[in-house]
Amino acid sequence: MTTSWADSVENAAPGGVVGTSSTQSRSAYVPPHLRNRPPSSDPPTAPPSYATAALGNDRSGYGGMSAGGSRSSGPRGGGGRIGGGWNNRSGGWDRGREREVNPFGDDDDTEQAFGEQENTGINFDAYEDIPVETSGENVPRPVTTFADIDLGEALNQNIRRCKYVKPTPVQRHAIPISIAGRDLMACAQTGSGKTAAFCFPIISGIMRGNQFVQRPPRMPRMAFPQALILSPTRELSCQIHDEAKKFAYQTGVRVVVAYGGAPINQQLRDLERGVDILVATPGRLVDLLERARVSLQMIRYLALDEADRMLDMGFEPQIRKIVQQMDMPPPGMRQTMLFSATFPKEIQRLAADFLSGYIFLAVGRVGSSTDLIVQRVEFVHESDKRSHLMDLLHAQKTNGVHGKQALTLVFVETKKGADSLEHWLCINGFPATAIHGDRTQQEREQALRSFKSGLTPILVATDVAARGLDIPHVAHVVNFDLPNDIDDYVHRIGRTGRAGKTGLATAFFNENNSSLARSLSDLMQEANQEVPAWLSRVAARSIYGKNRRGGGRFGARDFRRESSFSRGGTDYYGGGNMGNNYNASGGYGGAYGAGVTSAWD
DNA sequence: AAAAAAT
């Protein structure tokens, strides 16, 4: 057995790791990001607060719902998987059968692994004064460090391996809320660390709860996940799965992904080996439920990423089926977390069906409100779009950033449009690829890889790529065709300007987009962007209403406050009896060295 | 009207 980098870290980490059976001597190697850190900066292990925190999510009372009777005081699933302690890594479920793949890929060559990460130069100052609004009853106080909450040593190690030093604003608020067992509707720009915000509490909760959770009924070939994470696209589910695997590494918490377009057999095998957290797209999950290969009766956590999309017309029936018409415990018996950058009122109203006594959390729109993304709108007739795009691409050809070609993501309206634009770009000497829902899953993943690697630095995409995908180094988002919904615009431009980096978003506007004029103009104004005079004129004439968010710093407001406190929509600090406001500043004091980053997803 | 999501 090779000495993994992870083992070395563990050995180097002070604080007395409980349950580590050190049968062999390990080197005392300290990885770069942990050097120069005083031992005292490590989170203490298992402070007394842990016991009380654990009560917060004690939803084990729904025992009556499942068959099979007796409460199990021991670990479930056989094999003594958890063994009652944090950080039990070697015992149990994976013994002999498979070695858990190190998702950090740093077993042998740590330096190289970290050298490839390009997360220096993060502009923490840009996040200093992010406004935060919470509403709901008894909102738990936010934390300022990961150590303020005991997530468990194994998870803490993974947080360190990810080089997350400070929680992001959404994490500071969302993690204590979900650790306290509360339902949550969270509005925060993708790229602000949402994935970790719901994964950390889930993983931690599964680890701590395992010895209390009822053993699932003995049903061969039926999987009983404790957490379900749903997302609207296959690629996003993959991405969440990859992230969750990192966070869950050597915690004993098993993460499996299931989505369409890929052979189901491997997914079935993965499920049979055991799953605690299932990441899925809705269609494939319904399939698995109908085949009776997955049961939701042990679900303790439900997370919907891009929740407003999941509840819009296209997805709502499937989501209702999964959440309300199968065997999932009802609200109050499970913990539900909804995340998105945008949350229209009407969707919030729908979402209330899935929640119980929830807390609404809004973190100021990072991407569009901090000048990190420069937004431009140009009037381009339909017939001129291609040559105009060509001009843009020519102009930026020379602007490669540190040797790497700047990536350009071009959004179009239709799948056909994506194909034809890709073809046109290619025959005109621009290395482009395309992604849309009519391509095979292989083609989709290939396109994404080829784009990320810079092999084809231009990606033409439909809205399949609009949400959630984290593609580093996207310098330019072009809205070749503007969407009809301003929320889609927000998600699209959010593919650039991530992790504190700057980005450019160019929109081609013409008479077909007049319905968007008003909201686009308002949005840009709020983000301190230069609004062209012609756009202001079109917006002023527009018969379409003002941005339904009512302007301001948040992607949405708690609709529950709307009726009693609607005074023009800008009064976020109006002193409603259920509202709380915090200022998120104070955490990013600049105490970071190169290569150390916060948890911007 | 379009896109996404099961086979």
Side-chain angles (χ1 to χ4, degrees):
Chain A
M1 173 176 151
T2 59
T3 301
S4 74
W5 174 82
D7 292 334
S8 309
V9 173
E10 176 178 293
N11 220 32
V17 177
V18 180
T20 305
S21 56
S22 187
T23 55
Q24 52 193 289
S25 69
R26 296 176 178 127
S27 73
Y29 174 72
V30 179
H33 71 291
L34 290 180
R35 290 172 196 162
N36 305 322
R37 293 182 74 218
S40 57
S41 68
D42 267 288
T45 48
S49 67
Y50 160 64
T52 34
L55 295 175
N57 185 36
D58 185 11
R59 304 275 176 127
S60 51
Y62 64 83
M65 302 204 43
S66 60
S70 72
R71 256 174 101 91
S72 157
S73 60
R76 54 180 267 271
R81 187 158 66 80
I82 293 301
W86 297 110
N87 196 40
N88 158 311
R89 317 187 332 267
S90 51
W93 64 276
D94 65 341
R95 86 207 139 201
R97 273 169 70 183
E98 68 224 80
R99 183 93 180 95
E100 187 176 8
V101 178
N102 179 347
F104 300 95
D106 50 11
D107 281 310
D108 300 318
D109 197 342
T110 307
E111 293 296 341
Q112 193 193 345
F114 282 103
E116 281 166 7
Q117 297 220 2
E118 300 184 35
N119 40 25
T120 54
I122 285 194
N123 181 10
F124 289 104
D125 292 341
Y127 302 108
E128 271 294 333
D129 290 311
I130 295 173
V132 177
E133 181 190 73
T134 56
S135 48
E137 288 172 7
N138 300 319
V139 180
R141 298 292 301 179
V143 294
T144 48
T145 70
F146 288 121
D148 287 345
I149 296 186
D150 181 39
L151 293 166
E153 185 50 35
L155 184 48
N156 278 336
Q157 279 182 37
N158 293 331
I159 293 172
R160 286 195 292 272
R161 288 173 185 135
C162 292
K163 302 203 283 182
Y164 296 168
V165 172
K166 287 271 185 184
T168 66
V170 64
Q171 290 163 0
R172 287 184 210 163
H173 291 262
I175 293 175
I177 289 169
S178 49
I179 290 284
R182 301 291 299 277
D183 281 3
L184 173 66
M185 182 184 290
C187 191
Q189 177 87 2
T190 324
S192 62
K194 279 186 304 129
T195 311
F198 59 76
C199 282
F200 289 177
I202 290 175
I203 292 167
S204 167
I206 288 175
M207 289 173 73
R208 82 156 66 93
N210 261 346
Q211 60 265 50
F212 306 113
V213 170
Q214 209 167 44
R215 193 185 296 272
R218 286 199 166 279
M219 297 275 264
R221 296 158 68 81
M222 172 108 82
F224 294 88
Q226 299 182 59
L228 176 63
I229 301 171
L230 293 172
S231 95
T233 66
R234 299 163 182 174
E235 286 77 12
L236 185 51
S237 280
C238 280
Q239 181 181 301
I240 295 167
H241 173 249
D242 292 343
E243 288 285 288
K245 288 286 274 191
K246 289 185 197 169
F247 303 147
Y249 181 51
Q250 293 183 338
T251 61
V253 175
R254 301 160 298 185
V255 191
V256 171
V257 67
Y259 55 86
I264 200 168
N265 284 332
Q266 182 58 45
Q267 294 172 8
L268 288 173
R269 273 196 296 277
D270 291 343
L271 288 167
E272 265 184 80
R273 287 178 173 178
V275 54
D276 298 302
I277 301 176
L278 177 58
V279 185
T281 48
R284 177 53 62 87
L285 177 60
V286 168
D287 189 9
L288 292 167
L289 291 167
E290 284 171 351
R291 292 176 190 227
R293 298 300 294 266
V294 170
S295 160
L296 301 177
Q297 74 180 61
M298 299 299 291
I299 290 291
R300 295 159 61 205
Y301 301 92
L302 169 66
L304 302 190
D305 201 6
E306 309 297 342
D308 58 332
R309 169 62 78 241
M310 303 303 282
L311 294 172
D312 81 2
M313 288 195 312
F315 275 116
E316 198 212 347
Q318 276 177 303
I319 301 300
R320 283 200 187 278
K321 174 163 189 171
I322 292 165
V323 178
Q324 297 177 320
Q325 290 155 35
M326 304 303 287
D327 53 352
M328 191 186 297
M333 302 297 245
R334 60 160 199 261
Q335 201 177 328
T336 307
M337 294 176 272
L338 310 182
F339 281 77
S340 183
T342 52
F343 249 120
K345 262 212 314 276
E346 53 274 26
I347 301 285
Q348 289 190 40
R349 208 169 286 126
L350 273 180
D353 288 358
F354 300 101
L355 297 159
S356 162
Y358 69 94
I359 289 166
F360 179 91
L361 165 67
V363 178
R365 275 205 313 281
V366 174
S368 11
S369 63
T370 57
D371 306 335
L372 287 178
I373 302 175
V374 173
Q375 298 176 56
R376 290 194 317 212
V377 187
E378 293 167 357
F379 197 95
V380 185
H381 286 292
E382 213 58 44
S383 54
D384 297 334
K385 280 183 172 179
R386 285 184 174 184
S387 62
H388 197 80
L389 176 63
M390 182 108 84
D391 292 344
L392 291 181
L393 294 174
H394 269 302
Q396 72 183 44
K397 222 170 183 177
T398 47
N399 298 348
V401 192
H402 40 78
K404 267 200 168 158
Q405 165 88 51
L407 303 184
T408 302
L409 181 50
V410 183
F411 281 105
V412 296
E413 196 59 20
T414 66
K415 294 180 275 202
K416 251 180 71 181
D419 281 334
S420 81
L421 184 58
E422 176 205 24
H423 180 246
W424 185 85
L425 285 169
C426 287
I427 61 177
N428 281 281
F430 289 99
T433 184
I435 184 168
H436 62 68
D438 274 355
R439 298 238 162 145
T440 67
Q441 192 55 28
Q442 269 197 334
E443 289 171 324
R444 286 165 59 158
E445 282 164 24
Q446 166 64 30
L448 217 44
R449 268 197 305 275
S450 164
F451 180 56
K452 281 183 177 176
S453 74
L455 190 65
T456 52
I458 301 166
L459 178 65
V460 184
T462 60
D463 270 330
V464 70
R467 283 171 172 261
L469 293 189
D470 189 39
I471 309 169
H473 311 299
V474 174
H476 195 178
V477 169
V478 178
N479 273 292
F480 189 89
D481 301 318
L482 272 163
N484 296 316
D485 188 332
I486 191 66
D487 286 346
D488 292 332
Y489 174 84
V490 169
H491 285 275
R492 285 179 177 187
I493 69 171
R495 296 317 98 211
T496 186
R498 299 174 70 81
K501 294 197 170 62
T502 56
L504 174 65
T506 305
F508 295 176
F509 187 104
N510 61 36
E511 58 281 355
N512 298 327
N513 309 115
S514 41
S515 68
L516 199 68
R518 181 72 186 266
S519 49
L520 180 58
S521 161
D522 290 348
L523 182 85
M524 288 177 67
Q525 209 147 36
E526 288 153 20
N528 297 315
Q529 300 292 315
E530 204 171 309
V531 183
W534 59 263
L535 181 61
S536 299
R537 280 198 300 275
V538 178
R541 280 207 314 264
S542 174
I543 58 167
Y544 300 92
K546 199 168 153 55
N547 182 350
R548 64 172 173 278
R549 280 192 285 270
R553 298 162 285 192
F554 301 116
R557 265 197 108 205
D558 188 350
F559 87 104
R560 295 174 298 184
R561 302 180 74 185
E562 214 69 357
S563 47
S564 41
F565 298 102
S566 56
R567 288 194 293 252
T570 50
D571 182 17
Y572 294 106
Y573 300 92
N577 56 10
M578 61 193 296
N580 303 283
N581 288 283
Y582 302 98
N583 207 315
S585 66
Y588 295 151
Y592 301 100
V596 179
T597 176
S598 184
W600 300 100
D601 71 15

